Amino acid sequence: MKVSYKWLAEILQVDLSPQEMAEKLTGAGFPVEELTPLAEELDGVVTAEILEVRPHPNADRLSLTRVSDGANVYDVVCGARNIAPGDKVPLAKVGAVLPGNFRIKKAKIRGQESMGMLCSAEELRLDLVQAEDGILQLPADCPPGLPLAEYLGLDDVVMDIELSANRGDLLSVRGLAAEISAALGQPFALPLPEAPAARGGRFPVSIATPACYCYTGRLISGVKVQPSPLWLQLRLLACGLRPVNNIVDVTNLVMLEWGQPLHAFDADKLPELEITVRQARAGETMVTLDNKERRLEPGMMLITYGDKPVAIAGVMGSLDSEVNESTRTVLLESAGFDPVSVRVTAKALGLASEAASRYEKGVDPAVIVPASHRAAALISQLAGGEIGELVSAGCHRSETWTVEASLAKINALLGTEIPRAEAERILINLGLEVQGEGDALLVKVDQRRSDLRLWQDIAEEVGRLHGLDNIPAALPRGVQTVGVRKPAQRLEWLVRDILVGCGLCETVPYTFISPEMQERSLAEPGVELANPLTRERSIMRGDMLPSLLETVAYNLAHGQHNIAVFEIGSVYRPVAGQELPEQPLRVAAALCGTAPVHWQRKEEEYDFFHIKGVAEQLLAGLGADASFVRAERRQFHPGRCAAVRCGEELLGYVGQVHPGIAEAWKIDVPVWVMDFDFQALVRAHREGVDFAEPSRYPAVRRDLALETDTDSEAGTFLAIIRQQGGPLLEAVECFDVYTGPNLGPGRRSLAFSLRFRHGQRTLTDEEVQALMDKIIARLEQAGARLRS
Amino acid sequence: MEQMLNNLKEEALKAIAAASELGELENIRLACLGKKGQLTAVLRQMGSMPPQERPRLGQLANAVRDALEEALASRREELEAREQEARLAAERVDVTLPGRKPGRGAVHPIMRLRRQIEDIFLGMGYTIEEGPEIEADYYNFVALNIPKHHPARDMQDTFYVGADVLLRTHTSPVQVRAMEKARGKVPLKMICPGKVYRKDDDATHSPMFFQVEGLVIDRGISLADLKGTLLHFVREIFGPGQRIRLRPSFFPFTEPSVEVDILCTACAGAGCRVCKASGWLEILGAGMVHPRVLEMSGYDPGQVSGFAFGLGIDRVAMLKYGIHNIRHLYQNDLRVLKQFQGGLE
């Protein structure tokens, strides 16, 4: 909320600088985000009286004036029309600097000397409303020769305070003053305005909805609508509101002062002097003050005159009942509306008015009538007119309640030893009544502070004004607990460390993607947002691939040639009949471009066996016994994709992104990815190690060269070797793969190295040869031919 | 014969001393001491010597053999040493050329910090809890004392999936789930790190960011305990000289609520542009768990109390590493990520 520093200082009658006041508010929990001077520096601009106005001899649109600042008389050329002798105006003397760094110099204008400039409100950067365009007219009783800033009180500061959602009472000068005062250690109360003398003007008011708990109205007849006096306009400006006219400005001023929203209707434009507050009916419409036609819905509350809607209760009035220069009779409304009703209506209409923002946080019912009194008196003072009697419906006495707090409980919650006297003083300074003795603090609260309901609320008030800095620092005592990561949490970090060890950088992309990204990636459908920020970020991904490709594409576009990345993150997939989507965690990685270069090696493009190597390293690190099986997936190159299984369970896939998808992403190099289900990895992981005593006996090594056709898979032969080799086969490795002219088309050679060893004795040649014969026999059955 | 032996010795010793390679030395050995060598040839003439001369000559011959053998051995050692020296010299490498690295990636800066934060609280006996990012309105708001149509809903601009399903705006729903699961058991000490979402997008706000939530429920937990815990935490993260400042605040799920500032990490409290001359930086929100929140999740606020806090990991990462634009954390530019290859928090 924006509020005038001078207003607060005036009402509090304390000598605090704007900074000091801001510190008090910040300390009390309401940070002052900005202190902005109301006006720019206006050095050299003074109040002056016009003595004489003559036409400029050489220019029809200009006049020559003689102006006095009380000490000297100046000749000033002026282009405005709204000036006459006797007017009090701002004079920028030679040497003055106006906003925008505009320096006033002695000048000759069409042959006539000008010793300064008479200023308009715009030239002074003041957003004031005036009866006529042109030079800013100062009040007739303005003494000449005073610095303008001092005379108008332009040295005010706009304080922008961040308020909390539970303190509607602070949306007023009265509430803020009370808060600052309590922070200064003093109580504060603004006396409630008395009823002004009023006569006649009664009319029927009825409430036909539970969402209005009090409605008051009164007529003020014979008003003259015109711009407000400058002091009032400047005060509104210092609170961030724009002046309009004397009637509207008064309703705003009183709202700022008391926190009670007020509304003024042009009573002569109302169809009938009979007010009903009711819910809207389907199909009703109304044009609001901002000149927009609003479709009204039954959930919205209306003010109606003779059944015609003239305002959306607590949100905004209608355009056709607006107060303007022609208004003679004003109907002043001060009412209490249900916070939720106002909030829902304002949200539905997308209207955030000053009134609505107060109603939705709750206003103090005790102020509804006094605020009307205050506004009526001010209107009559500034616009003339006769004040009618207040008519009302539904207004009951405002509620009070007692919160039963205990000093011991408060101190236990805060971890303090605040004595009763201090706690009491704090609460009294907040304007609360305290009763009870010893440990019992019985705190009487009224609707001004409707946020105070529980003893914990009282504890907060005591703690906050005692000073949170005065609260000691301790640590929880009590039963000790053991903090350990759960197995899956430990594995997540293990996965992260393994992949980093494989040379991959961890990424954290946005989990929301665009429909296009989803489509381009042939991705599983994700979860659509109802109110996304942009279409680009409108779907919670159902698949890791769009994110991997986004990262790859971004880095390729930024000149990176060695891309090795991974992510551990969730995908989101709707599940029919379930409120929340499925949100499994995935482990995915991508390689693209060239592997890290080394001077001893040729530059190497990433290929299938790089990404498979990463996957194997990961699985080995997890102790998972996994196998790679040729697979076909729509997102992968048809000949370069493997499913990774552990027993029956599918862990994920590795392979090359389908070139069609890469092309759709405008990526013209192969992208190699792997994508695993994290929970499946957790299940595949083997805990601990089955230790085996190393054999003391020598190993026997045998090599095996097979010629096969290229459609056959090395995995088939490896499996046969392992199976036939049995427990004596310690290790087998494929150490060479060869295709070439001397093998003929469709043929290749695979070379394996086998190592046999017995745990308890030295193996004999005969034993090894027998095993080799068995292995070779089965390999030949499987279509391999032994090369000599 | 004596003369011959002496000549043989003298010449052989000369040749040995002059030998410059192991092969040459071996040839000398064969030429002198081999079966067809000179010494053997001389000794063959022993038979023609007078018998009384033989023992003396025999001794002399042995002495010559010993001398030559010794000379050969010592020269061999010399030559071997020299040869090894030459070989090793030839094997010299340029040690300043780059090594063949197995490749090293990097943990994302947010995850680095997440790990450190987790470790700090694990050390204080907290568990780590997790929960869904797409969450029910009940857990994100209602169970945290933010009913429908409460103005506090405006504090967090929310992405919705459906009427009652949303992207969690904070990690607090995990608190609620953990409390429900604990069924009134104390002590409950947990943290929950994870992604959260709000409709914000500028240099310091990202629509997706990371929070870590902390919760302690036990008998007699006080605001002072919260203060001490957070002080310990910020000193672990930002250094032992850190201080904290608590400011009153409002969150519907805590009462009292506080906002926590630390000494500005750029100027250590002196006042600078980063902290808008205040010397302090706001870093997290916290408070004593609201009695209604305790009640809704199965705890008796008459018996137990608790504190909770919520911290933006992104904010900490930006302060700690001096990252000014939050985009760097989510754009996944390798030039950014690779800077986090080394070190450990």
Side-chain angles (χ1 to χ4, degrees):
Chain A
M1 147 141 180
K2 288 189 173 129
V3 70
S4 153
Y5 153 72
K6 283 189 118 178
W7 195 356
L8 283 172
E10 218 171 273
I11 212 169
L12 277 165
Q13 297 187 312
V14 293
D15 192 18
L16 287 179
S17 70
Q19 286 73 20
E20 286 166 334
M21 198 180 278
E23 268 169 36
K24 285 288 159 199
L25 279 164
T26 302
F30 310 102
V32 176
E33 297 187 320
E34 221 174 354
L35 293 174
T36 322
L38 172 61
E40 296 183 40
E41 296 273 333
L42 296 174
D43 278 348
V45 183
V46 298
T47 60
E49 180 174 359
I50 298 178
L51 303 177
E52 200 181 320
V53 180
R54 287 181 291 126
H56 191 291
N58 308 325
D60 290 347
R61 296 177 168 274
L62 298 178
S63 25
L64 304 179
T65 67
R66 285 174 69 71
V67 196
S68 163
D69 67 355
N72 299 300
V73 175
Y74 306 88
D75 290 315
V76 177
V77 178
C78 180
R81 301 252 145 210
N82 66 329
I83 46 171
D87 283 354
K88 305 291 169 59
V89 295
L91 166 67
K93 297 203 275 193
V94 170
V97 182
L98 295 188
N101 206 19
F102 175 41
R103 184 176 291 276
I104 304 297
K105 295 182 208 136
K106 196 162 114 181
K108 262 212 168 127
I109 300 169
R110 296 276 180 112
Q112 296 292 319
E113 196 151 88
S114 184
M115 297 299 291
M117 186 176 111
L118 306 186
C119 306
S120 68
E122 295 81 62
E123 281 156 346
L124 300 170
R125 295 264 164 93
L126 296 173
D127 207 357
L128 297 168
V129 185
Q130 289 177 259
E132 287 177 300
D133 285 347
I135 301 305
L136 174 61
Q137 291 287 343
L138 300 173
D141 61 358
C142 166
L146 291 177
L148 183 76
E150 183 190 317
Y151 174 70
L152 287 178
L154 296 178
D155 52 343
D156 202 351
V157 173
V158 185
M159 305 178 74
D160 193 353
I161 310 169
E162 188 190 326
L163 297 177
S164 55
N166 63 331
R167 292 293 303 271
D169 63 304
L170 297 183
L171 287 165
S172 66
V173 169
R174 171 223 201 193
L176 287 169
E179 193 63 41
I180 297 166
S181 187
L184 291 168
Q186 293 156 13
F188 170 86
L190 196 61
L192 287 175
E194 303 277 330
R199 209 152 43 95
R202 297 188 64 90
F203 52 92
V205 176
S206 63
I207 298 176
T209 166
C212 173
Y213 55 86
C214 172
Y215 193 92
T216 76
R218 76 190 332 150
L219 293 172
I220 304 164
S221 42
V223 296
K224 182 169 191 301
V225 179
Q226 57 188 357
S228 295
L230 291 178
W231 68 263
L232 172 50
Q233 296 199 34
L234 288 166
R235 187 132 282 180
L236 293 180
L237 286 172
C239 296
L241 295 187
R242 290 183 59 134
V244 180
N245 59 42
N246 51 2
I247 308 294
V248 174
D249 292 354
V250 166
T251 61
N252 280 331
L253 186 83
V254 175
M255 174 185 72
L256 289 168
E257 192 171 55
W258 289 93
Q260 170 61 42
L262 299 169
H263 188 69
F265 298 94
D266 185 331
D268 299 325
K269 290 181 198 149
L270 299 175
E272 199 176 321
L273 262 183
E274 183 270 302
I275 299 180
T276 305
V277 186
R278 63 162 170 86
Q279 295 301 123
R281 292 188 279 263
E284 284 186 291
T285 60
M286 190 184 101
V287 178
T288 43
L289 275 175
D290 52 4
N291 202 10
K292 283 192 183 137
E293 174 149 18
R294 307 282 179 173
R295 179 179 297 279
L296 306 173
E297 283 161 34
M300 299 174 179
M301 186 176 14
L302 303 177
I303 313 300
T304 64
Y305 280 74
D307 205 44
K308 178 179 186 247
V310 290
I312 300 166
V315 181
M316 197 173 271
S318 70
L319 186 65
D320 55 15
S321 63
E322 184 189 28
V323 170
N324 57 29
E325 296 78 46
S326 64
T327 301
R328 293 288 165 265
T329 313
V330 167
L331 189 134
L332 179 67
E333 167 198 290
S334 183
F337 301 120
D338 176 60
V340 171
S341 165
V342 171
R343 180 176 164 80
V344 170
T345 304
K347 282 246 153 189
L349 293 172
L351 269 170
S353 66
E354 291 283 330
S357 77
R358 285 172 174 78
Y359 276 125
E360 68 179 36
K361 292 191 179 72
V363 298
D364 179 1
V367 169
I368 295 176
V369 171
S372 173
H373 293 336
R374 167 100 170 110
L378 258 176
I379 287 174
S380 145
Q381 186 189 324
L382 299 178
E386 195 168 314
I387 303 172
E389 283 176 38
L390 185 85
V391 288
S392 69
C395 305
H396 307 290
R397 284 251 317 273
S398 84
E399 195 193 331
T400 63
W401 59 93
T402 300
V403 180
E404 292 178 25
S406 135
L407 185 67
K409 280 191 190 170
I410 290 176
N411 275 321
L413 187 68
L414 298 176
T416 51
E417 289 168 7
I418 299 170
R420 180 179 178 99
E422 190 192 341
E424 262 191 45
R425 195 170 60 241
I426 286 169
L427 296 169
I428 289 165
N429 287 342
L430 283 166
L432 305 168
E433 245 176 74
V434 183
Q435 289 162 346
E437 271 171 46
D439 183 52
L441 284 166
L442 307 179
V443 186
K444 202 174 147 201
V445 187
D446 62 34
Q447 284 179 280
R448 182 177 67 89
R449 289 300 307 273
S450 51
D451 59 308
L452 303 179
R453 299 278 176 179
L454 309 171
W455 71 261
Q456 287 89 347
D457 299 327
I458 302 298
E460 174 169 66
E461 296 305 282
V462 171
R464 156 175 103 79
L465 290 163
H466 169 69
L468 296 179
D469 278 342
N470 298 324
I471 288 174
L475 284 173
R477 281 152 301 183
V479 182
Q480 292 300 299
T481 49
V482 179
V484 285
R485 288 195 172 87
K486 297 172 180 129
Q489 291 166 344
R490 285 209 312 275
L491 286 176
E492 189 188 322
W493 288 110
L494 177 59
V495 166
R496 194 167 269 122
D497 289 341
I498 292 170
L499 293 176
V500 166
C502 289
L504 277 59
C505 285
E506 184 179 17
T507 64
V508 179
Y510 284 143
T511 44
F512 16 56
I513 60 173
S514 69
E516 291 74 19
M517 285 165 75
Q518 178 169 292
E519 204 174 302
R520 278 205 293 275
S521 315
L522 303 180
E524 291 270 334
V527 175
E528 279 180 43
L529 296 180
N531 60 337
L533 263 182
T534 60
R535 185 181 162 80
E536 286 298 292
R537 306 272 169 222
S538 60
I539 297 176
M540 296 299 283
R541 66 184 181 198
D543 213 317
M544 295 298 270
L545 190 59
S547 296
L548 291 175
L549 291 175
E550 184 180 27
T551 300
V552 167
Y554 176 91
N555 281 294
L556 284 175
H558 287 77
Q560 299 291 308
H561 303 298
N562 158 21
I563 298 169
V565 292
F566 75 97
E567 186 198 349
I568 304 175
S570 292
V571 295
Y572 314 83
R573 292 169 185 166
V575 182
Q578 213 174 285
E579 186 184 30
L580 295 185
E582 180 185 49
Q583 305 173 49
L585 196 62
R586 312 262 335 162
V587 177
L591 300 177
C592 180
T594 54
V597 191
H598 190 259
W599 54 272
Q600 284 176 313
R601 285 190 196 164
K602 278 201 303 194
E603 191 178 82
E604 209 182 359
E605 297 283 328
Y606 279 126
D607 64 22
F608 180 83
F609 300 99
H610 279 106
I611 191 72
K612 183 177 175 185
V614 173
E616 286 173 321
Q617 191 84 334
L618 172 65
L619 293 161
L622 291 171
D625 187 13
S627 59
F628 291 71
V629 194
R630 173 173 299 282
E632 284 198 34
R633 298 279 295 166
R634 65 177 193 280
Q635 290 175 313
F636 286 88
H637 185 301
R640 296 175 171 185
C641 171
V644 186
R645 297 183 174 281
C646 178
E648 285 301 294
E649 182 157 28
L650 176 70
L651 304 181
Y653 293 93
V654 298
Q656 181 183 350
V657 174
H658 197 291
I661 293 178
E663 197 183 317
W665 278 84
K666 299 196 166 61
I667 298 173
D668 56 4
V669 285
V671 184
W672 306 93
V673 298
M674 64 177 209
D675 184 5
F676 290 107
D677 180 69
F678 177 72
Q679 284 306 328
L681 291 178
V682 170
R683 286 187 291 270
H685 139 259
R686 199 186 58 229
E687 214 164 311
V689 169
D690 299 328
F691 178 73
E693 191 74 40
S695 170
R696 290 187 289 129
Y697 299 92
V700 178
R701 195 190 138 152
R702 292 290 169 83
D703 288 352
L704 200 56
L706 300 178
E707 192 187 316
T708 73
D709 57 42
T710 45
D711 288 342
S712 60
E713 292 182 336
T716 313
F717 304 119
L718 273 168
I720 289 172
I721 295 169
R722 283 208 189 88
Q723 199 196 357
Q724 297 303 315
L728 292 182
L729 177 66
E730 190 177 65
V732 56
E733 268 166 49
C734 175
F735 69 90
D736 190 43
V737 179
Y738 173 78
T739 51
N742 46 358
L743 281 179
R747 304 290 288 170
R748 69 171 174 173
S749 134
L750 298 169
F752 299 97
S753 156
L754 289 71
R755 201 168 67 233
F756 298 91
R757 199 197 298 262
H758 197 288
Q760 275 77 42
R761 58 184 171 78
T762 304
L763 281 176
T764 63
D765 262 1
E766 291 72 30
E767 279 175 298
V768 173
Q769 196 49 53
L771 278 171
M772 286 300 289
D773 291 344
K774 231 171 82 180
I775 289 170
I776 291 164
R778 292 301 298 270
L779 288 172
E780 283 175 339
Q781 279 172 27
R785 199 171 64 75
L786 192 66
R787 302 183 76 204
S788 46
Chain B
M1 181 162 175
E2 191 176 342
Q3 187 60 45
M4 281 168 71
L5 281 171
N6 284 332
N7 284 348
L8 171 64
K9 179 181 166 191
E10 208 169 301
E11 272 164 34
L13 285 178
K14 257 191 225 160
I16 289 168
S20 60
E21 277 175 8
L22 285 171
E24 196 183 339
L25 201 65
E26 180 63 8
N27 289 340
I28 296 170
R29 188 184 71 81
L30 289 174
C32 300
L33 305 177
K35 279 182 184 163
K36 293 173 185 168
Q38 290 166 307
L39 187 63
T40 319
V42 173
L43 288 180
R44 256 189 221 118
Q45 300 168 19
M46 193 67 92
S48 62
M49 289 293 119
Q52 65 275 27
E53 286 283 308
R54 284 182 199 165
R56 198 180 54 82
L57 284 174
Q59 270 174 13
L60 179 64
N62 282 339
V64 168
R65 177 190 298 271
D66 288 351
L68 291 185
E69 274 178 353
E70 198 189 308
L72 277 167
S74 106
R75 185 62 184 159
R76 179 175 297 120
E77 220 168 277
E78 268 175 47
L79 286 181
E80 271 173 0
R82 197 181 294 170
E83 215 160 273
Q84 188 181 26
E85 211 172 288
R87 193 173 66 240
L88 294 189
E91 284 168 7
R92 195 185 79 128
V93 298
D94 179 351
V95 298
T96 63
L97 279 170
R100 210 153 48 212
K101 293 183 281 286
R104 165 120 197 112
V107 174
H108 192 278
I110 286 180
M111 296 301 172
R112 279 168 79 114
L113 273 175
R114 193 183 121 189
R115 170 139 49 179
Q116 190 195 8
I117 293 168
E118 286 181 4
D119 288 343
I120 294 169
F121 285 101
L122 287 169
M124 292 196 279
Y126 290 59
T127 61
I128 303 170
E129 305 296 332
E130 287 149 28
E133 292 165 31
I134 301 184
E135 182 56 285
D137 185 278
Y138 175 80
Y139 286 106
N140 195 73
F141 286 131
V142 178
L144 289 160
N145 199 26
I146 316 175
K148 284 244 151 134
H149 311 307
H150 193 282
R153 289 209 173 195
D154 288 348
M155 291 164 75
Q156 299 168 359
D157 213 346
T158 310
F159 287 110
Y160 283 91
V161 167
D164 287 310
V165 179
L166 43 76
L167 303 192
R168 66 179 180 196
T169 55
H170 44 196
T171 38
S172 312
V174 184
Q175 247 189 50
V176 178
R177 288 175 177 273
M179 283 193 282
E180 282 185 354
K181 216 170 72 185
R183 297 176 164 273
K185 207 179 85 224
V186 290
L188 175 61
K189 292 165 85 176
M190 55 149 279
I191 58 164
C192 160
K195 287 176 189 150
V196 299
Y197 301 85
R198 292 186 199 172
K199 286 187 77 178
D200 262 339
D201 200 4
D202 61 41
T204 54
H205 296 92
S206 158
M208 178 188 93
F209 60 104
F210 281 77
Q211 255 193 359
V212 60
E213 186 84 5
L215 174 74
V216 172
I217 298 179
D218 202 349
R219 294 174 198 283
I221 295 294
S222 72
L223 190 60
D225 297 330
L226 169 65
K227 195 172 179 176
T229 301
L230 292 177
L231 185 63
H232 173 75
F233 168 71
V234 301
R235 286 185 172 163
E236 285 289 320
I237 296 269
F238 292 106
Q242 260 298 347
R243 286 166 48 197
I244 57 173
R245 182 176 78 169
L246 267 47
R247 281 184 292 106
S249 188
F250 168 72
F251 305 108
F253 33 92
T254 47
E255 187 72 37
S257 301
V258 297
E259 208 96 55
V260 182
D261 298 340
I262 59 167
L263 283 182
C264 175
T265 50
C267 65
C272 67
R273 253 196 19 233
V274 176
C275 57
K276 289 185 192 151
S278 72
W280 296 96
L281 291 174
E282 184 184 318
I283 187 162
L284 56 84
M288 303 305 294
V289 182
H290 197 288
R292 270 202 285 273
V293 172
L294 287 174
E295 245 165 40
M296 276 188 277
S297 298
Y299 283 91
D300 176 1
Q303 296 295 315
V304 300
S305 56
F307 66 67
F309 58 86
L311 163 91
I313 304 181
D314 310 56
R315 172 110 172 111
V316 177
M318 290 171 78
L319 289 175
K320 195 157 172 134
Y321 302 122
I323 299 170
H324 298 300
N325 195 328
I326 199 164
R327 261 169 228 288
H328 288 313
L329 294 176
Y330 300 112
Q331 216 148 30
N332 301 306
D333 190 320
L334 283 165
R335 295 166 299 177
V336 171
L337 298 177
K338 282 186 174 163
Q339 293 180 39
F340 294 89
Q341 270 178 339
L344 175 73
E345 268 74 33

